[in-house]
């Protein structure tokens, strides 16, 4: 994927990724080295000696003076030279002391092959804790324990006990299973697929998926990342790193444990609708990770994406010499979510010029059984020029006239296209030479055509997920008044405090609706009444018809106890309803469970009943649910999930992926609901969930929606207990706390706030107001306006992960952007690079100083250790500003005209 790179990034020449020594060690020590054969340690040492690694090797074992012909040392302390990487293969009980010795020697990287840690029970868990305690506040990082090891085929590094080393290439593979590593390795050698890195991550005591994704994202030799996962680890870090990397490098993942049932006990309707594996699916799709469910798909997608481009659209055209296989491929194309291309008349005419008269004249393009390699090549060339075709599948079955090897060569000779070509040579031994030629020539081959069609569908899904990362929602004028937001939060938290003080975790309907009202979500007017007389009075003041419902601090599902009476038209009806509900509750539960009733206006217009809810997932925190509501919600189970926060695009996608969505658009003469209002309610609801982590689960059910309006008829909130540890949202919410109002030297009031996806149009206008000299001072080179405002680039600027980076815009009263200041964390360390640019018309008015001062304050609050910047020497104003704020200055190694400035934020 061609994503624009900022040329000023080239000056991070003195930044060394802390994980680099795992993959490019100049020296390695193997603790537990032995000549005992067979043994894990001997295999690792043999691999290090004989598969191309040229660095220094230090076997460590007090029992030997020499191992496999090289000197052996009694312990790590006896090695006088610096060591980059230590591999430990000794019993678990010996490992804590060995790790301590490595930390004292300031060795940066350790791989623990040994098993017997937390996977072995309580004693193993204690050993692992000792290791982690030793690592604290040190420069040492650790992969494992209980792992196969790692490889970097580009330097001949095989620090594993696998027999073979992978071929060098552009795939990186991370696995929690050593067996998966060896399986993938065997497959890759057969298919001639190369790797940039091969990592068995083990039980992830220290280094997790997020760390490795970040490293591989910055690794020039890695183009695609494959993952086999069993447990997520740090979910927020995993998603944060993946979102950043998936924009430029495909991440393909297979995960075990798909059928694990959720442990969440459902109190609200929402709890019965959200499955943990479904949540995982939505989370990784949100960051652009492509998930596959079968090992074969992992290999297939790796092969396809490493050899062919991602399709620009969903339309597949099939070229075949046999009807049956192409029918199966057609079915799988549709079932996989892709589409069959409808061939243009001009394309059909061009094909008819050289194909037999009996050819299919449609897609699939049946070139008939006697098709030569020349016929295949001509058909491919014509179809490749068809603008309606996004991908091509070529099927060949062995006929007497077929020449598989030559046909493969003819396809390769057509050259690499801007759209993917997949192939399926169906048969056995007679086709092997042709298949080998396809694989070696960059055209991925699949045993069966329906398998290839499925891969094309997955490629299309990956493209759609990436497009979601790039989409920009419509701009909305949201409320950025921090005082208003604070008061709203305090009002809701007071409701929570009262309930928990009364030892209640379930809020009443009245309290739940008060929360919605605080966030301006429309609700039915509701009055709590503790006697039949109060209920009658409330109904008469409201006006008939009314609804009377049970008010209880203990009973959640009111209809189960006859606690809902609808369309009451007289005072007698209301009085009777009160008494009936009271009697029913006392009979089925007890007097303590009856707290009176609530009286509310009866909504007389008809509409669709919707559910909007939230539940807490054990790994990813709050999860939103949208779908069909009402009493049969658990039976209908029409719902879609999303992780907060929502923006306009995500809210729209959440709605569109449900069956109720079609009804909401209007059916059988009914008018459509106002989707803009429903979208705003969803976004607001996600804000409630993020701003109040004490919410365990909740739902609005039903939310009545029609062309006449949208209104919440009932709501339920359940809180975490007072001693609960809250699971944070997997995605950082918008940091409202970092909004600040400043006054410039000329008296202009400017608001500094974090950027958001909706700001893309503003940033486009901002770039139009930058002079050439300002552009050069920011990017160290001329960059055209067209390049600077490209959508793919601006969405990366606006749609950020606030955990990884902060980007602040300064806007005036007209909401025009006057300046931008940002930092982004450097991979696998706690330092960040910063940048600052303001439009020429406000330079010299103190805006730059205000922005940079604000950025420094936020970086401190976010516990960043240091800010680093690169500034042209001619930019004396910015250099002077940095010096006054405490930055140190020194020239860069690459260019003496560019200064590196650094401010340490931690002692």
């Amino acid at each position: 994927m061609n994503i624009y790179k900022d040329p000023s990034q080239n000056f991070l020449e003195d930044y060394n990724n802390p994980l680099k020594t795992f993959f490019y060690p100049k020296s390695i020590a193997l603790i537990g080295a032995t000549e005992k054969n067979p043994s894990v340690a001997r295999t690792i040492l043999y691999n290090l000696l004989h598969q191309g690694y040229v660095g220094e090797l230090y076997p460590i074992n007090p029992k030997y003076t020499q191992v496999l012909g090289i000197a052996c040392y009694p312990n790590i302390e006896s090695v006088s030279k610096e060591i980059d990487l230590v591999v430990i293969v000794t019993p678990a009980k010996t490992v804590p002391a060995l790790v301590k010795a490595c930390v004292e020697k300031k060795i940066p990287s350790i791989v623990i092959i040994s098993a017997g840690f937390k996977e072995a029970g309580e004693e193993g868990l204690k050993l692992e804790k000792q290791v982690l305690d030793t690592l604290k506040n040190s420069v040492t990082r650790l992969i494992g324990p209980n792992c196969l090891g790692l490889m970097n085929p580009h330097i001949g590094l095989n620090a594993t006990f696998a027999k073979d080393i992978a071929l060098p290439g552009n795939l990186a593979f991370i696995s929690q299973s050593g067996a998966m590593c060896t399986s993938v390795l065997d497959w890759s050698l057969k298919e001639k697929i190369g790797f940039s890195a091969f990592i068995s991550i083990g039980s992830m005591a220290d280094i997790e998926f997020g760390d490795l994704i970040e490293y591989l994202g910055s690794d020039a030799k890695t183009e695609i990342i494959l993952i086999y996962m069993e447990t997520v680890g740090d979910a927020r870090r995993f998603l944060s790193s993946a979102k950043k990397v998936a924009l430029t490098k495909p991440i393909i993942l297979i995960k075990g444990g798909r059928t694990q049932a959720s442990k969440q006990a459902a109190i609200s309707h929402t709890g019965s609708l959200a499955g943990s594996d479904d949540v995982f699916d939505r989370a990784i799709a949100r960051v652009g990770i492509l998930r596959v469910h079968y090992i074969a798909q992992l290999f297939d997608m790796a092969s396809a994406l490493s050899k062919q481009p991602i399709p620009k659209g969903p339309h597949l055209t099939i070229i075949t010499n046999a009807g049956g296989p192409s029918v199966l491929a057609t079915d799988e194309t549709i079932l996989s979510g892709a589409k069959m291309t409808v061939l243009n008349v001009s394309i059909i005419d061009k094909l008819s010029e050289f194909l037999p008269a009996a050819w299919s004249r449609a897609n699939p393009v049946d070139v008939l059984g006697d098709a030569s390699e020349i016929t295949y090549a001509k058909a491919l060339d014509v179809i490749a020029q068809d603008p309606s075709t996004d991908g091509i599948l070529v099927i060949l079955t062995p006929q007497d006239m077929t020449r598989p090897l030559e046909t493969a060569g003819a396809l390769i000779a057509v050259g690499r296209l801007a759209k993917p070509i997949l192939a399926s040579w169906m048969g056995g031994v007679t086709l092997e030479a042709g298949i080998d030629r396809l694989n070696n020539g960059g055209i991925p081959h699949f045993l069966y055509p329906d398998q290839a069609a499925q891969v094309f569908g997955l490629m299309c899904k990956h493209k759609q997920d990436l497009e979601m990362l790039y989409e920009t929602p419509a701009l909305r004028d949201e409320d950025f008044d921090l005082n208003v937001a604070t008061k709203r939060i305090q009002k809701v938290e007071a409701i929570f405090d009262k309930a928990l003080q009364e030892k209640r975790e379930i809020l009443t309907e009245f309290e739940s609706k008060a929360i919605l009202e605080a966030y301006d979500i429309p609700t039915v007017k509701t009055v709590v009444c503790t006697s039949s007389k109060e209920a009658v009075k409330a109904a008469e003041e409201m006006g008939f018809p009314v609804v009377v419902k049970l008010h209880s601090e203990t009973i959640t599902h009111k209809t189960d106890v006859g606690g809902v009476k609808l369309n009451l038209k007289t005072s007698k009806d209301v009085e009777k309803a009160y008494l009936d509900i009271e009697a029913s509750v006392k009979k089925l539960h007890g007097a303590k469970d009856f707290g009176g009733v609530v009286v509310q206006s009866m909504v007389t217009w008809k509409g669709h009943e919707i559910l909007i809810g939230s539940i807490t997932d054990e790994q990813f925190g709050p999860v939103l649910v949208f779908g069909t509501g009402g009493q049969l919600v658990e039976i209908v189970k029409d719902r879609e999930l999303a992780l907060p926060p929502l923006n306009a695009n995500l809210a729209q996608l959440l709605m569109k992926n449900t069956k109720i969505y079609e009804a909401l658009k209007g059916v059988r003469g009914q008018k459509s609901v106002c989707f803009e209002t429903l979208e705003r309610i969803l976004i607001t609801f996600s804000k409630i969930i993020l701003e109040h982590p004490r919410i365990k689960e909740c739902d609005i059910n039903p939310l009545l929606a029609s062309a006449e309006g949208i209104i919440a008829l009932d709501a339920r909130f359940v809180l975490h207990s007072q001693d609960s540890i809250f699971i944070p949202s997997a995605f950082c919410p918008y940091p409202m706390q970092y909004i600040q109002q400043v006054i410039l030297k000329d008296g202009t009031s400017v608001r500094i706030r974090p950027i958001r996806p909706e700001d893309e149009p503003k940033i486009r206008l901002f770039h139009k107001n930058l002079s050439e000299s300002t552009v050069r001072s920011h990017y160290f080179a001329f960059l055209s306006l067209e390049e600077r405002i490209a959508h793919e680039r601006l969405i990366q600027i606006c749609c950020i992960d606030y955990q990884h980076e902060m980007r602040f815009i300064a806007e005036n009263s007209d909401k025009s952007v006057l300046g931008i200041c940002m930092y982004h964390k450097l991979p696998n360390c706690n330092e960040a690079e910063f940048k600052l640019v303001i439009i020429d018309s406000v330079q010299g008015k103190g805006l730059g100083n205000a922005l940079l001062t604000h950025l420094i304050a936020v970086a401190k609050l976010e516990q960043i250790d240091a800010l680093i910047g690169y500034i042209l020497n001619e930019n004396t104003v910015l250099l002077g500003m940095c010096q006054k704020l405490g930055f140190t200055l020194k020239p860069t190694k690459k260019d003496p005209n560019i200064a590196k400035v650094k401010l340490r934020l931690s002692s």
Side-chain angles (χ1 to χ4, degrees):
M1 192 174 301
N2 184 21
I3 302 299
Y4 168 76
K5 299 291 185 181
D6 186 339
S8 62
Q9 289 292 309
N10 295 333
F11 292 89
L12 282 168
E13 84 296 328
D14 55 353
Y15 165 67
N16 284 317
N17 193 307
L19 300 195
K20 190 173 182 179
T21 48
F22 280 102
F23 302 96
Y24 291 92
K26 295 176 182 177
S27 55
I28 302 174
L30 176 62
I31 301 180
T34 180
E35 289 191 343
K36 181 182 177 182
N37 192 16
S39 70
V40 169
R42 186 191 184 281
T43 299
I44 294 174
L45 184 58
Y46 182 88
N47 289 344
L48 292 172
L49 284 169
H50 298 290
Q51 294 185 345
Y53 177 69
V54 296
E56 298 291 330
L57 288 176
Y58 303 105
I60 308 290
N61 193 328
K63 296 179 182 179
Y64 298 92
T65 58
Q66 196 176 63
V67 181
L68 296 186
I70 61 173
C72 186
Y73 296 79
N75 50 51
I76 199 75
E77 294 89 344
S78 61
V79 180
S80 59
K81 296 183 180 179
E82 287 188 4
I83 299 173
D84 285 341
L85 172 64
V86 168
V87 181
I88 299 178
V89 196
T90 60
K93 63 182 180 181
T94 67
V95 171
L98 296 172
V99 170
K100 183 178 180 182
C102 292
V103 168
E104 290 174 350
K105 198 172 174 66
K106 296 186 177 179
I107 294 170
S109 305
I110 300 175
V111 175
I112 300 178
I113 306 292
S114 317
F117 291 87
K118 63 185 174 189
E119 80 281 358
E122 192 64 33
E123 288 303 312
L125 184 62
K126 290 178 181 178
L127 293 173
E128 190 167 308
K129 186 177 184 304
Q130 290 177 37
V131 169
L132 292 177
D133 288 343
T134 303
L135 291 183
K136 287 179 181 177
N137 302 316
S138 75
V139 299
T140 306
R141 299 299 306 273
L142 182 150
I143 289 177
N146 191 19
C147 70
L148 182 77
L150 60 85
M151 298 182 192
N152 179 357
H154 288 282
I155 65 166
L157 172 64
N158 182 3
T160 77
F161 53 95
K163 178 182 176 182
D164 299 303
I165 187 170
L167 298 172
N170 59 16
L171 296 180
F173 183 55
I174 312 169
S175 175
Q176 275 183 292
S177 164
M180 276 293 294
C181 281
T182 53
S183 298
V184 170
L185 178 61
D186 285 347
W187 162 81
S188 69
L189 294 172
K190 178 176 178 287
E191 297 294 323
K192 298 179 176 60
I193 299 292
F195 287 83
S196 58
F198 222 84
I199 310 141
S200 170
I201 199 170
S203 57
M204 303 191 302
D206 176 32
I207 289 175
E208 299 190 4
F209 286 110
D211 301 288
L212 291 170
I213 289 170
E214 268 196 42
Y215 169 78
L216 296 168
S218 62
D219 176 38
K221 295 189 183 299
T222 298
E223 295 182 13
I224 298 173
I225 301 171
L226 307 181
I227 295 175
Y228 171 75
M229 175 185 286
E230 292 172 355
T231 55
V232 175
D234 186 335
R236 179 176 275 195
R237 176 149 174 72
F238 164 63
L239 294 175
S240 177
S241 300
K243 182 178 181 180
K244 184 178 180 182
V245 172
L247 288 166
T248 53
K249 299 182 182 183
I251 302 175
I252 309 168
L253 178 146
I254 184 170
K255 183 179 183 294
R258 289 165 57 191
T259 58
Q260 182 181 358
S262 173
K263 296 177 182 178
Q264 173 67 44
I267 298 175
S268 68
H269 291 292
T270 308
S272 65
L273 296 179
S276 60
D277 195 62
D278 290 335
V279 175
F280 181 83
D281 263 345
R282 304 315 187 273
I284 63 171
R286 177 83 169 259
V287 298
I289 294 175
L290 174 61
R291 184 181 186 182
V292 297
H293 293 303
Y294 306 101
I295 294 174
Q297 289 178 332
L298 185 74
F299 298 162
D300 290 344
M301 290 306 301
S303 178
L305 291 175
S306 66
K307 295 174 180 176
Q308 293 292 317
I310 296 174
K312 295 180 180 178
H315 298 95
L316 179 69
T317 300
I318 299 173
I319 304 172
T320 180
N321 70 346
S326 65
V327 172
L328 294 174
T330 298
D331 286 343
E332 191 58 42
T333 299
I334 304 302
L335 292 172
S336 297
K339 300 177 181 179
M340 292 293 287
T341 311
V342 178
L343 295 179
N344 190 283
V345 174
S346 63
I347 296 298
I348 293 175
D349 290 342
K350 287 181 181 179
L351 290 169
S352 297
E353 292 175 5
F354 60 88
L355 290 180
W359 84 277
S360 60
R361 301 186 64 80
N363 182 23
V365 177
D366 191 343
V367 296
L368 304 186
D370 61 351
S372 68
E373 65 270 21
I374 296 174
T375 302
Y376 266 102
K378 282 184 176 180
L380 176 62
D381 188 50
V382 170
I383 291 169
Q385 298 173 35
D386 177 16
S388 300
T389 295
D390 300 309
I392 303 168
L393 168 58
V394 184
I395 302 171
L396 181 144
T397 60
Q399 316 282 346
D400 188 45
M401 306 75 91
T402 306
R403 304 215 302 168
L405 179 63
E406 290 77 6
T407 303
L411 297 184
I412 293 166
V414 172
R416 186 174 174 86
L417 305 175
K419 51 192 72 175
I421 304 176
L422 311 178
S424 179
W425 268 212
M426 292 186 67
V429 177
T430 60
L431 301 180
E432 285 182 355
I435 292 170
D436 285 343
R437 179 169 287 189
L438 287 169
N439 282 325
N440 292 333
I443 297 178
H445 174 266
F446 305 91
L447 289 175
Y448 307 108
D450 51 347
Q451 181 184 2
Q454 186 183 74
V455 166
F456 181 78
L458 286 169
M459 293 173 80
C460 293
K461 180 184 182 302
H462 181 54
K463 176 70 164 59
Q464 292 169 357
D465 288 343
L466 291 178
E467 284 175 345
M468 279 302 300
L469 298 180
Y470 288 113
E471 286 185 6
T472 301
L475 184 63
R476 295 193 184 284
D477 184 18
E478 293 184 4
D479 176 18
F480 285 104
D481 190 326
L482 189 56
N483 291 328
V484 171
T486 301
K487 289 179 181 178
R488 181 180 63 210
I489 291 170
Q490 289 174 344
K491 181 177 180 181
V492 172
E493 288 295 314
I495 296 173
F496 296 166
D497 289 340
K498 179 177 180 296
L500 291 174
Q501 285 169 7
E502 296 171 359
K503 297 184 179 180
R504 289 188 293 116
E505 293 165 13
I506 302 172
L507 302 188
T508 65
E509 179 183 348
F510 183 78
E511 291 169 325
S512 298
K513 285 183 176 176
I515 295 169
L516 302 184
E517 289 172 0
Y519 281 81
D520 297 322
I521 293 177
T523 61
V524 175
K525 182 180 178 182
T526 301
V527 178
V528 177
C529 304
T530 55
S531 69
S532 58
K533 289 183 179 179
E534 286 183 11
V536 169
K537 181 181 178 183
E540 290 173 346
E541 290 177 352
M542 275 181 202
F544 295 99
V546 296
V547 175
V548 173
K549 298 180 185 178
L550 169 66
H551 177 69
S552 173
E553 295 179 349
T554 55
I555 297 172
T556 59
H557 299 302
K558 295 182 280 290
T559 54
D560 293 347
V561 294
V564 178
K565 306 294 182 181
L566 304 174
N567 201 26
L568 305 178
K569 298 178 180 179
T570 67
S571 299
K572 287 185 177 180
D573 290 341
V574 172
E575 182 178 15
K576 183 177 185 303
Y578 184 99
L579 297 173
D580 287 349
I581 292 172
E582 181 180 24
S584 176
V585 171
K586 288 180 178 179
K587 179 181 177 181
L588 295 174
H589 286 267
K592 67 181 188 314
D593 298 301
F594 180 75
V597 301
V598 292
V599 178
Q600 55 190 222
S601 300
M602 176 76 184
V603 177
T604 56
W605 40 266
K606 293 182 179 180
H608 299 284
E609 293 186 333
I610 300 169
L611 176 139
I612 298 176
S614 171
I615 194 168
T616 302
D617 182 78
E618 292 179 348
Q619 291 180 318
F620 297 102
V623 179
L624 304 177
V625 182
F626 174 86
T628 300
Q631 294 182 23
L632 300 180
V633 60
E634 288 95 347
I635 297 173
V636 176
K637 289 189 176 179
D638 169 36
R639 58 95 172 113
E640 180 59 18
L641 310 179
L643 276 70
L646 295 182
N647 59 27
N649 281 340
L650 291 169
Q652 290 164 16
L653 186 66
L654 183 60
M655 292 185 280
K656 289 177 181 177
N657 285 343
T658 60
K659 295 176 183 176
I660 191 69
Y661 177 75
E662 292 300 318
L664 295 174
K665 290 196 297 185
V667 291
R668 296 182 179 179
Q670 294 180 355
K671 293 181 180 179
S672 169
V673 305
C674 179
F675 281 104
E676 187 176 350
T677 301
L678 187 53
E679 174 191 303
R680 192 175 300 116
I681 289 172
L682 280 168
I683 294 171
T684 302
F685 184 79
S686 79
K687 188 182 295 185
I688 294 174
I689 301 308
L690 287 176
E691 290 182 351
H692 302 283
R694 289 201 281 180
I695 296 173
K696 181 179 181 181
E697 60 180 278
C698 63
D699 59 43
I700 305 172
N701 182 36
L703 180 73
L704 192 65
S706 78
E708 296 181 59
I710 300 176
I711 191 165
L713 301 185
D714 202 350
R716 180 183 296 107
F717 282 77
V718 181
L719 307 181
H720 288 286
S721 61
Q722 286 183 312
D723 56 352
S724 293
I725 299 174
F726 307 145
I727 301 170
S729 169
F731 298 104
C732 288
Y734 185 79
M736 283 278 293
Q737 68 273 24
Y738 294 147
I739 298 173
Q740 182 186 34
Q741 205 77 22
V742 298
I743 306 297
L744 302 185
K745 292 177 182 178
D746 63 356
T748 303
S749 179
V750 172
R751 180 171 60 185
I752 298 174
R753 65 168 176 84
I755 204 166
R756 17 166 221 159
E758 294 87 340
D759 289 319
E760 183 181 339
K762 291 185 176 185
I763 305 304
R764 187 175 290 113
L765 291 173
F766 169 77
H767 275 280
K768 291 180 179 179
N769 291 324
L770 297 178
S771 67
E772 285 190 19
S773 61
T774 299
V775 170
R776 182 179 178 276
S777 68
H778 184 64
Y779 296 107
F780 308 159
F782 175 71
L783 207 62
S784 71
L785 177 62
E786 184 180 359
E787 290 175 294
R788 285 185 279 125
I789 65 173
H791 172 64
E792 291 81 6
R793 178 177 179 274
L794 290 187
I795 197 60
Q796 289 190 65
I797 288 173
C798 299
C799 185
I800 65 171
D801 184 329
Y802 301 108
Q803 183 170 325
H804 254 298
E805 57 188 317
M806 284 287 177
R807 184 172 275 109
F808 292 100
I809 63 173
E811 55 186 7
N812 60 16
S813 57
D814 296 330
K815 297 182 181 174
S816 298
V817 177
L818 307 177
I820 302 175
C821 192
M822 60 81 68
Y823 73 69
H824 67 87
K825 289 184 180 179
L826 299 172
N828 296 303
C829 75
N830 209 29
E831 296 184 347
E833 184 195 9
F834 81 91
K835 293 183 180 180
L836 169 68
V837 59
I838 60 177
I839 62 174
D840 296 65
S841 61
V842 295
Q843 291 180 9
K845 297 181 180 179
L847 179 59
N849 186 75
L851 274 168
L852 190 51
T853 301
H854 185 67
L855 190 78
I856 292 169
V858 170
K860 287 180 178 178
L861 291 172
E862 292 291 322
Q863 299 183 324
I864 302 294
D865 290 339
L867 286 175
I868 299 168
Y870 295 87
I871 304 170
L872 283 171
N873 289 341
E874 63 191 58
N875 193 347
T876 56
V877 174
L878 183 54
L879 286 172
M881 184 193 309
C882 288
Q883 282 183 304
K884 288 181 180 178
L885 291 171
F887 286 82
T888 58
L889 278 66
K890 70 175 184 178
T892 60
K893 298 173 185 176
K894 284 189 177 180
D895 190 339
N897 294 313
I898 295 174
K900 175 185 177 181
V901 300
K902 186 171 185 176
L903 177 65
R904 293 207 171 274
L905 303 175
S906 60
S907 54

